[in-house]
Amino acid sequence: MSTFDYNTAFVRDLAQSFIHALSMNKEHIDVALAEHQHRQYADMLRSLVPSVHVVAADERYPDCNFIEDTCIVVNDVCIVAHLGALTRQGEEVAVQEALSNNDALLLGGDRLTFHKVNGGAMFDGGDILFTGRELLVGLSKRTNEEAYSQIKEFLRPANIPVYKLRVAKGLHLKSAITQLDQTTFILHDGEAGHVIRDDLNALGLPFNYLLVPDMPACNILRIRDNIVIQAGFPSSEKILIKAAQERGLHVHKLEM
């Protein structure tokens, strides 16, 4: 199966307490608009992925819809996070339960092996990028060296190399880099992206880079022969659409 041939996806409903979600820019959060955008995102997934599972929201956790941060699934290994923000710690419990109850669907009948980071380790899934060959861990305000070391040990039996990268700007690694295809990263053409590129080049990993001027536009989602991009960034959108057309990929735009 290709790196991007996903058969199962998990989403989590948006809590009404989302109005109190963590925010870097302190702008007022329009919950009604967020609910509409979240429904559009879930509907898009349902149109592209055969099986989509929904985890119920938990009003104790305003950020719980950001389900990606709670766990990493690599082949038959699931690594459960100790989230980097104190107010988010505990979100992972319901997600781990959902994954455990549905892991046969994920793996075609096999079972997931669960690990949880411990001690002083903390990470958010937004700092983790699996390329299909190696796992990249961004060291940020939410993800630390201890988590990187434990993740590396958890994946050692699977012979999956794990590398660390610096996150110089932005909340997460994937705020500035995501994967377009087996050999190409989408990268922010700014400090955050340049530092990541320098680290990747130093590691000697065989990737090309497609630079875009808008950091939010770096966060794309590749599913089979589709890419999902954020609307509202015309300069970056032009670059992404051209790259998609060159690869025979379909582009889907969402307001997020």
Side-chain angles (χ1 to χ4, degrees), residues 104-157:
L105 295 174
L106 282 168
L107 301 172
D110 294 330
R111 309 298 296 184
L112 284 171
T113 298
F114 286 89
H115 302 278
K116 184 174 175 61
V117 296
N118 54 52
M122 64 179 191
F123 78 84
D124 283 6
D127 282 318
I128 313 297
L129 197 164
F130 181 51
T131 69
R133 296 183 299 271
E134 55 270 309
L135 192 85
L136 307 177
V137 177
L139 300 182
S140 70
K141 293 178 181 178
R142 301 285 181 87
T143 299
N144 62 13
E145 285 265 5
E146 180 59 31
Y148 158 72
S149 297
Q150 291 186 28
I151 291 168
K152 191 172 184 176
E153 287 304 309
F154 292 145
L155 293 178
R156 190 180 299 277

Side-chain angles (χ1 to χ4, degrees), residues 57-70:
D58 187 328
E59 295 297 333
R60 295 175 297 171
Y61 303 112
D63 296 270
C64 67
N65 54 290
F66 298 112
I67 191 171
E68 175 189 24
D69 288 326
T70 59

Side-chain angles (χ1 to χ4, degrees), residues 36-145:
H36 172 70
Q37 293 174 338
H38 191 61
R39 281 195 299 271
Q40 286 189 315
Y41 171 71
D43 288 343
M44 175 70 71
L45 283 180
R46 291 186 181 97
S47 73
L48 300 177
V49 180
S51 179
V52 177
H53 297 267
V54 179
V55 180
D58 187 328
E59 295 297 333
R60 295 175 297 171
Y61 303 112
D63 296 270
C64 67
N65 54 290
F66 298 112
I67 191 171
E68 175 189 24
D69 288 326
T70 59
C71 299
I72 312 164
V73 177
V74 180
N75 300 336
D76 62 350
V77 175
C78 178
I79 304 174
V80 182
H82 181 69
L83 291 161
L86 182 63
T87 57
R88 299 193 62 190
Q89 292 169 9
E91 290 179 24
E92 72 280 358
V93 175
V95 180
Q96 180 178 352
E97 181 180 352
L99 287 168
S100 179
N101 291 338
N102 294 281
D103 59 355
L105 295 174
L106 282 168
L107 301 172
D110 294 330
R111 309 298 296 184
L112 284 171
T113 298
F114 286 89
H115 302 278
K116 184 174 175 61
V117 296
N118 54 52
M122 64 179 191
F123 78 84
D124 283 6
D127 282 318
I128 313 297
L129 197 164
F130 181 51
T131 69
R133 296 183 299 271
E134 55 270 309
L135 192 85
L136 307 177
V137 177
L139 300 182
S140 70
K141 293 178 181 178
R142 301 285 181 87
T143 299
N144 62 13
E145 285 265 5

Side-chain angles (χ1 to χ4, degrees), residues 18 35 38 56 61 68 80 99 102 106 166 181 191 196 198 233 240-241:
F18 186 67
E35 285 180 324
H38 191 61
Y61 303 112
E68 175 189 24
V80 182
L99 287 168
N102 294 281
L106 282 168
R166 293 171 294 164
D181 59 30
E191 180 186 359
I196 292 168
D198 290 346
F233 303 95
L240 293 170
I241 290 174

Side-chain angles (χ1 to χ4, degrees), residues 26 71 113 126-127 161 187 203 209 220 256:
K26 303 301 180 183
C71 299
T113 298
D127 282 318
L187 198 65
L203 291 168
Y209 307 105
I220 72 159
M256 295 190 234

